[in-house]
Amino acid sequence: MPTLLLVRHGRSTANSAGILAGWTPGIDLDETGRAQAAALPGRLAGLPIARLVSSPLERCRQTLEPLRAARPELAEPEPDERLGECHYGEWTGRPLSELAQEPLWRTVQDHASAAAFPGGESLRALSHRTVDAVREWNDKIAVDHGPDALWVAATHGDVIKAIVADALGLHLDHFQRISVEPCSVTAIRYTPHRPYLLRLGDTGDLGALAPRPHGRSAGDDAVVGGETGTA
């Protein structure tokens, strides 16, 4: 089955300002974020990417612009609102230092499955919509491009953490134990039996994720070992 490369957007103006951006329009990459995005094509060089998908928010689309420019054979990223940031409701646009004083903050950190943002959505809803989205895309890409395809989805930190928690079989209450840096790449290979986490928050070279000769793909050794109980 295909391998999903989850790219967290590069550092944004909200990240550097310590603001919870949510779906606020006009949040762009800052200077560091633009440099991170410019380095992404080199990190993914040699990987036969089949498709680009993106959160509709500006910072995600901007992160993929250098990759799209370097790979003119790729179609424009396909937006999917299900991969958009959490709807934080009344928390949107507020400083993180201020939000940390709210009683709900501890629930978000320690009991995420019970957390619902006032005027927004719950973290359970975030998990359901994002996991459904990547699994549906994965099935479609397998049909369109074959079982060894790699595809990229540009999205947000909490989205990636929720998807990783699902892939690892972790309860949502543990998703805050997962950390993904801006413009990091997290790779998940889905199989008919279970997903395999190949990279988590990787900020380095990713060439080892390229499909191997004779139809063997990155992660196959882990799949074989996991299935036979030998590793």
Side-chain angles (χ1 to χ4, degrees), residues 144-221:
D144 293 346
H145 300 281
D148 293 324
L150 288 87
W151 62 286
V152 169
T155 183
H156 307 268
D158 280 350
V159 172
I160 295 171
K161 287 155 59 176
I163 293 169
V164 169
D166 171 76
L168 293 177
L170 292 178
H171 195 283
L172 186 61
D173 287 349
H174 300 315
F175 100 128
Q176 296 289 21
R177 301 182 184 189
I178 299 165
S179 177
V180 289
E181 295 297 314
C183 220
S184 64
V185 176
T186 294
I188 301 172
R189 180 167 174 80
Y190 289 90
T191 79
H193 304 292
R194 63 174 72 91
Y196 290 86
L197 181 65
L198 307 181
R199 295 288 190 282
L200 175 63
D202 197 321
T203 56
D205 179 76
L206 296 153
L209 292 173
R212 299 176 185 178
H214 310 300
R216 296 181 67 240
S217 300
D220 282 354
D221 291 339

Side-chain angles (χ1 to χ4, degrees), residues 13-159:
T13 54
N15 293 145
S16 51
I19 300 295
L20 189 65
W23 283 72
T24 304
I27 301 296
D28 298 322
L29 299 183
D30 67 7
E31 183 176 353
T32 295
R34 291 192 295 272
Q36 291 169 334
L40 186 61
R43 294 170 56 207
L44 298 176
L47 297 185
I49 297 169
R51 186 167 299 180
L52 304 177
V53 182
S54 179
S55 157
L57 294 170
E58 292 96 330
R59 52 197 185 272
C60 291
R61 292 188 285 106
Q62 290 169 357
T63 298
L64 290 184
E65 284 174 0
L67 179 60
R68 173 71 178 82
R71 301 280 191 98
E73 74 278 7
L74 288 174
E76 289 288 338
E78 299 192 45
D80 189 334
E81 290 201 356
R82 296 174 299 172
L83 294 177
E85 182 61 284
C86 184
H87 292 277
Y88 293 114
E90 295 172 15
W91 280 31
T92 301
R94 293 175 60 189
L96 294 172
S97 58
E98 178 183 298
L99 292 171
Q101 308 307 313
E102 295 277 357
L104 179 60
W105 182 268
R106 288 270 32 110
T107 304
V108 171
Q109 301 302 315
D110 300 334
H111 189 19
S113 63
F117 297 98
E121 71 179 329
S122 68
L123 287 173
R124 294 189 313 279
L126 169 76
S127 176
H128 291 157
R129 67 171 165 87
T130 57
V131 169
D132 284 350
V134 297
R135 287 179 178 272
E136 286 176 19
W137 274 109
N138 212 61
D139 290 344
K140 176 175 174 55
I141 288 166
V143 171
D144 293 346
H145 300 281
D148 293 324
L150 288 87
W151 62 286
V152 169
T155 183
H156 307 268
D158 280 350
V159 172

